[in-house]
Amino acid sequence: MTPRKEKKSSSSAQSNPSPKASDDDLLVASTNPPGAVLSPERFAALEKVGQHSSDLMIVIDAEGIVVYANPVALKTFGKTFKDGIGTNAFDYLHPDDLERVAVRFIDLLRTPGASIIDTVKSVTESGEVREIEIVSTNWLDNEAVQGIIINGRDVTEHRQYVAQLMAHEQRFRLAFEDNMAPMICTDLDDNIITANDAFCQMVGYSKEELLGHDSKIFTFPEDVGITEESHRRATTGDGGPARYTKRYMRKDGRVIYVEVSRSPARDADGKTLYFIISERDITEERALTARLSHQALHDPLTGLANRALFLDRLSQAHARVIRQGGMGAVLLLDLDDFKGVNDTHGHLIGDQLLVAIARRLEEVSRSTDTLCRFGGDEFLYLADGLTSPEEAEQVARRLLVALAEPFSVAGIHIGQHASIGVVVWDASRNDSAEIVQDADVALYEAKRQGKGHHVVFTSGMHQQAVSHFALVQDLRRALSAGEIVMHYQPIVDLNVTGVVGFEALMRWDHPERGWVPPTVFIPLAEQSDLILELGAFALHEAATAAGTWLPDAPDAARPYVTVNLSAHQFRDPGLVSMIEKVLETSGLSPHRLIIEITESVTLLYIAETLSVMEDLNRLGIGFALDDFGTGYSSLSYLALMRPRIIKIDQSFVSPSLESFRNDTLLEAIVTLGHNLDMTMLAEGIETHAQLQRLQALGCELGQGFLFSRAVPARYVAAMLARLPGSWKSLKNP
Ligand code: C2E
Ligand code: MG
Ligand code: MG
């Protein structure tokens, strides 16, 4: 049974609906088509149209009763044929629209042939609200027939879709306009169709100035190609999102870097409609990254390469030498006693000095070489492409000469010398990290040999360095373990051959090595702060011991004690207060303390030394200039320092060097001292002959094995008890 057939039969028997029509049958038929409205012919015509229409079609009579509903209409309201026909159409209207539609329909009924268009809310059988766009037409084509034919379309989904679309559009507009990120949209010719405020701010142009133009107006001229290429790809290639970086020239002329993300906006068919371009000003970010990467590879204070960059260049140079042959060198430069600068003048001056040193070293560096601050007061120099080891030594000398002139920092003149360890390497070396270690070993050796010069690494140095290192470690322990002691060597008045004082000399009573001489461990201690501890210890011990010494005759002066001080101690700002404290705790009169300093020490840091000497002189402490004649004697400095005693180095006195020349020098030195009104002391007197000669020259004081070696403190009293002149009976040792 086809619905059509059924409907036809129904329409012919108007009051007798087909028994076969079921509730589920949504097809059109009429149970009771009011003949007044729909003649069978009309009904048939309507049905023909309505059956195939994709729109809903309803015919109502003047009372609003449904006389015809096509399948789409029935389906829309969830009605069956049976339920639909004969019901009141106004029952389907949503209460909101009821009155309005009723008024309009009444109007419509008054005007035959008229139509109204409206969108109404209706309620389906299941209670669902649907929106229907309707065209309602007065059906009155003859006086007898009153009714309205309603053509409609369920636009619920469409309306929802449009609403969504609008909300979407609204959201996009807000997201675009108010976006903090600069954004523009461009058409397919890359002309700007819209730009947000952030974008205008970024490029410094107003919206009006931008619209309709392409990005060339603000693109940095050299980067126009980047935009063109991106646009070409976007419109020809796969057209997917793209990201690139380019420069813009703002309206004010400032150049900025931007990161551009371009995505196509497409229609449902995938056709590109326009481009959405979001941008980011990365100028500061780039600058920061550049700064950070510079910082990562450079020393912030001096701006020189840092350790990481140096090691990288070294391994590159190393690899090059392995490939191409030749040789290179690494020079490790360490400032001598730099700590003293910090201690004396403060870190600010210390830092400025480091910068000044970096500039001097830079001036004499080859552009192909790498100069680096290795940390603290250490600099590394990589000499690349050498043809002989001698060239490396030339570099070392050049660097040392660069530092020879004193520096002027904040109006202060500071002399700063350095030591250099040199390693020359070629393809046979297989580890670049090891090269730096070897430079350190050579540097250590340079320091040990007396600073201010360079030493080239040799394989034998390694073992030596290791044992030195072990010794320094051991020395730290020794001091607290009480293995360091002071011995005292008498200072004799050569006229009466009586003891007038003692020189305190340090000894290390090593549990395995036996007595370790100070000439071995003092230079090691001088490479660290350990020397300050040892120096304080010596002063404290010597002053405490001397506090107990009494003169050998009741009317004679009490013997004095001389204590050797290292150069490092003179650069320690705590020196003067430390000595004051020592005098206080030991109760020793300052007049009985004489400090021995060597010429080389005083010459290196003349200004600092002189000022400390002045302070100590004021306390009443005297000075002895030790090892006179071995350093770079300068008479002007001698006059400046005015030491109480000049100790003539034993090389002028010792028998091995006894010669006419030495004798003449000895005489000259003694005469010089006397002319300057200073007391002369001869070191290393071992024979009666030497003693007599010195006596003949009028040298006042002497020390040496002829009288005594340095002895432990407990023998001092016995030595003092000897009457003057008793030394004369001494035999040669
Ligand atoms: P110095 O101050 O010139 O000390 C004199 C050195 O000559 C001492 O060696 C002493 O034992 C030695 N000597 C004395 N008479 C004779 C002699 O007739 N013949 C020979 N051949 N040598 C003689 P020592 O004790 O080994 O000291 C060596 C150096 O170590 C000292 O030279 C001094 O510069 C340094 N030193 C010793 N003790 C200290 C100390 O407490 N502090 C510091 N900073 N340096 C010290
Ligand atoms: Mg001495
Ligand atoms: Mg000496």
Side-chain angles (χ1 to χ4, degrees), residues 299-548:
D299 167 47
L301 178 67
T302 60
L304 296 181
N306 70 3
R307 191 183 277 250
L309 182 56
F310 183 88
L311 292 178
D312 184 55
R313 297 252 172 98
L314 175 58
S315 53
Q316 280 174 25
H318 188 237
R320 211 162 31 244
V321 163
I322 289 172
R323 273 197 319 274
Q324 302 167 357
M327 59 182 79
V330 164
L331 294 88
L332 177 57
L333 182 148
D334 184 286
L335 302 176
D336 294 334
D337 311 316
F338 180 74
K339 190 182 172 297
V341 175
N342 277 336
D343 292 346
T344 313
H345 302 294
H347 285 269
L348 220 60
I349 299 287
D351 281 356
Q352 286 181 38
L353 179 61
L354 282 171
V355 173
I357 287 167
R359 296 291 86 82
R360 286 241 192 121
L361 295 177
E362 238 169 10
E363 273 168 29
V364 296
S365 301
R366 280 192 318 181
S367 60
T368 48
D369 292 348
T370 302
L371 174 65
C372 131
R373 177 157 175 238
F374 202 48
D377 59 348
E378 283 187 336
F379 295 85
L380 266 176
Y381 189 96
L382 170 65
D384 204 3
L386 302 184
T387 52
S388 75
E390 174 49 27
E391 282 175 13
E393 294 207 59
Q394 279 169 12
V395 174
R397 282 190 284 268
R398 206 165 65 221
L399 295 178
L400 291 179
V401 167
L403 304 185
E405 279 282 307
F407 291 84
S408 173
V409 176
I412 307 169
H413 289 279
I414 305 174
Q416 181 60 65
H417 300 260
S419 306
I420 299 182
V422 183
V423 177
V424 182
W425 46 271
D426 57 19
S428 67
R429 295 297 297 256
N430 47 18
D431 186 356
S432 59
E434 226 174 56
I435 294 173
V436 177
Q437 274 170 26
D438 290 348
D440 203 19
V441 170
L443 172 68
Y444 192 87
E445 186 55 25
K447 293 266 182 189
R448 207 186 60 80
Q449 288 179 13
K451 306 178 180 175
H453 68 288
H454 74 271
V455 163
V456 180
F457 176 81
T458 59
S459 50
M461 268 173 208
H462 218 272
Q463 194 43 48
Q464 210 177 352
V466 169
S467 66
H468 277 159
F469 181 73
L471 205 61
V472 172
Q473 295 303 98
D474 212 12
L475 189 54
R476 276 184 201 285
R477 181 199 51 79
L479 188 59
S480 44
E483 290 170 19
I484 307 294
V485 292
M486 300 307 291
H487 282 188
Y488 301 92
Q489 184 179 38
I491 295 168
V492 176
D493 178 337
L494 297 186
N495 283 322
V496 292
T497 57
V499 179
V500 289
F502 289 86
E503 176 174 8
L505 292 161
M506 198 176 278
R507 298 289 178 261
W508 182 0
D509 188 6
H510 196 283
E512 286 146 29
R513 297 175 180 229
W515 292 104
V516 181
T519 42
V520 170
F521 68 84
I522 296 276
L524 291 182
E526 281 177 339
Q527 286 171 26
S528 71
D529 275 359
L530 200 54
I531 188 63
L532 301 183
E533 285 174 55
L534 284 179
F537 170 81
L539 267 162
H540 183 262
E541 282 288 302
T544 310
T548 65

Side-chain angles (χ1 to χ4, degrees), residues 217-235:
I217 60 166
F218 48 75
T219 298
F220 190 70
E222 280 170 34
D223 289 355
V224 167
I226 299 177
T227 319
E228 286 173 350
E229 171 62 15
S230 135
H231 182 64
R232 194 189 58 74
R233 275 174 194 234
T235 46

Side-chain angles (χ1 to χ4, degrees), residues 54 62 98-99 192-193 222 416 444 453 468 487 557 583 621 725:
S54 60
L98 204 55
E99 202 180 315
I192 296 167
I193 44 185
E222 280 170 34
Q416 181 60 65
Y444 192 87
H453 68 288
H468 277 159
H487 282 188
L583 290 174
I621 293 166

